[in-house]
Amino acid sequence: MKFTGCYHGHSDALLASAGSGVATLSLPDSPGVSPAVVADTHLAPYNDLDPVAALFRDHGDQIAAVLVEPVAGNMGVVPPLPGFLEGLRRLTTAFGALLIFDEVMSGWRVHPGGAQALYGIAPDLTTLGKVMGGGFPAAAFGGRREIMELVAPRGSVYQAGTLSGNPVAMAAGLANLELISEPGAWARAEAWAREAAAILERTALAHGVPLTVQRVGTMFTPFFTDQPVRNFVDARRSDREAFARFFQAMLLAGVYLPPSPLEAAFSSIVHDADALEHFSNAVRAALSC
């Protein structure tokens, strides 16, 4: 089971109702993928437990796992509503399914220990990437011992890749992890994102622009709407033409944001006071147009 608007890579069964570039470019969900492959994927709306419970009632003995972005970032930043992740943990445990957290985007960005540390939910498996590689291709997965022992060479589940364990990427990743593990590193990046979000909100209010900024940790998205965004439907209802104009104005001012409200912006340990002042000036100019 996956959630509409969440993106988990381009493997065939997971491209159904995907977010990220698939949604941004209005591409078909899974062109060229056989219906039988996509039929193995159950879909539910993000932040709504009732359809999840209904799917478990109807197909509980066939659902192997629930895969979720604990903080969605591929439909813009959409945090979990109170009780949503807890409900997923309760349902998967009751029906014997695995709960998999895709923290490729949220890992470190929402908390030094990821979303699972932020919200206090222990998944059965976790996928990680992006931040851990420091710009190089690197990713990892991990979970409960009894599950990990199923992976070859100890178990019979085969996993490998051409770039797995690439020594250059691993060296870069280790150096990056040392930098972001320094005391205060995450707090500085989070403070920058918090102030950037506040600048967006204050400036939009001053100019009468309907804007909702959603942020968790160092991840944030400005949605051009006066309503909270709780799922993929809400995200797509935001004024994407207004966002496009804002993006172009910011780009001309030297600030390169994600080119779609269906993606997330991030702060990092290299964003400093000068970058924040530049950002603030650009926002004022862009929202006054």
Side-chain angles (χ1 to χ4, degrees):
M1 187 190 305
K2 72 175 291 284
F3 296 90
T4 53
C6 288
Y7 177 74
H8 306 290
H10 62 268
S11 52
D12 290 353
L14 297 176
L15 282 175
S17 293
S20 190
V22 176
T24 298
L25 301 175
S26 298
L27 297 173
D29 285 333
S30 49
V33 178
S34 69
V37 172
V38 180
D40 287 337
T41 304
H42 295 291
L43 297 171
Y46 192 79
N47 268 332
D48 191 345
L49 281 174
D50 288 342
V52 177
L55 281 168
F56 269 110
R57 284 194 301 269
D58 294 341
H59 308 285
D61 61 338
Q62 299 176 24
I63 296 174
V66 173
L67 177 58
V68 64
E69 292 179 77
V71 174
N74 287 294
M75 56 181 105
V77 175
V78 180
L81 292 175
F84 178 63
L85 296 179
E86 292 84 350
L88 295 182
R89 179 68 283 178
R90 184 174 62 254
L91 285 165
T92 50
T93 299
F95 284 89
L98 298 181
L99 178 60
I100 306 174
F101 274 9
D102 181 343
E103 296 231 44
V104 167
M105 191 177 294
S106 60
W108 192 83
R109 288 197 172 108
V110 302
H111 185 278
Q116 55 199 268
L118 178 62
Y119 296 107
I121 307 294
D124 299 299
L125 285 169
T126 300
T127 62
L128 297 164
K130 296 189 185 294
V131 170
M132 65 177 294
F136 282 77
F141 69 97
R144 300 201 326 258
R145 179 180 296 275
E146 61 267 32
I147 298 173
M148 296 301 291
E149 287 181 344
L150 297 174
V151 179
R154 172 164 290 191
S156 59
V157 177
Y158 183 70
Q159 190 278 327
T162 301
L163 294 176
S164 293
N166 177 274
V168 176
M170 294 301 98
L174 286 171
N176 176 67
L177 290 174
E178 290 177 359
L179 288 172
I180 65 176
S181 297
E182 291 178 356
W186 186 86
R188 291 195 305 273
E190 191 273 340
W192 198 99
R194 183 171 66 248
E195 183 56 28
I199 288 167
L200 285 162
E201 290 170 340
R202 290 196 302 265
T203 309
L205 182 63
H207 290 90
V209 177
L211 189 73
T212 297
V213 182
Q214 298 197 172
R215 181 186 69 87
V216 182
T218 69
M219 297 171 58
F220 64 96
T221 297
F223 290 100
F224 282 80
T225 175
D226 58 1
Q227 300 297 316
V229 176
R230 300 185 177 94
N231 51 45
F232 195 36
V233 172
D234 291 346
R236 293 183 72 122
R237 283 177 180 156
S238 66
D239 190 339
R240 293 162 71 180
E241 291 184 1
F243 183 94
R245 293 191 297 270
F246 175 71
F247 169 80
Q248 291 295 334
M250 292 291 283
L251 188 61
L252 288 173
V255 177
Y256 186 23
L257 293 170
S260 165
L262 303 180
E263 299 182 46
F266 317 120
S267 59
S268 75
I269 60 175
V270 301
H271 285 99
D272 57 14
D274 289 341
L276 190 64
E277 182 179 5
H278 187 159
F279 179 83
S280 180
N281 292 335
V283 168
R284 283 198 296 271
L287 291 181
S288 63
C289 295

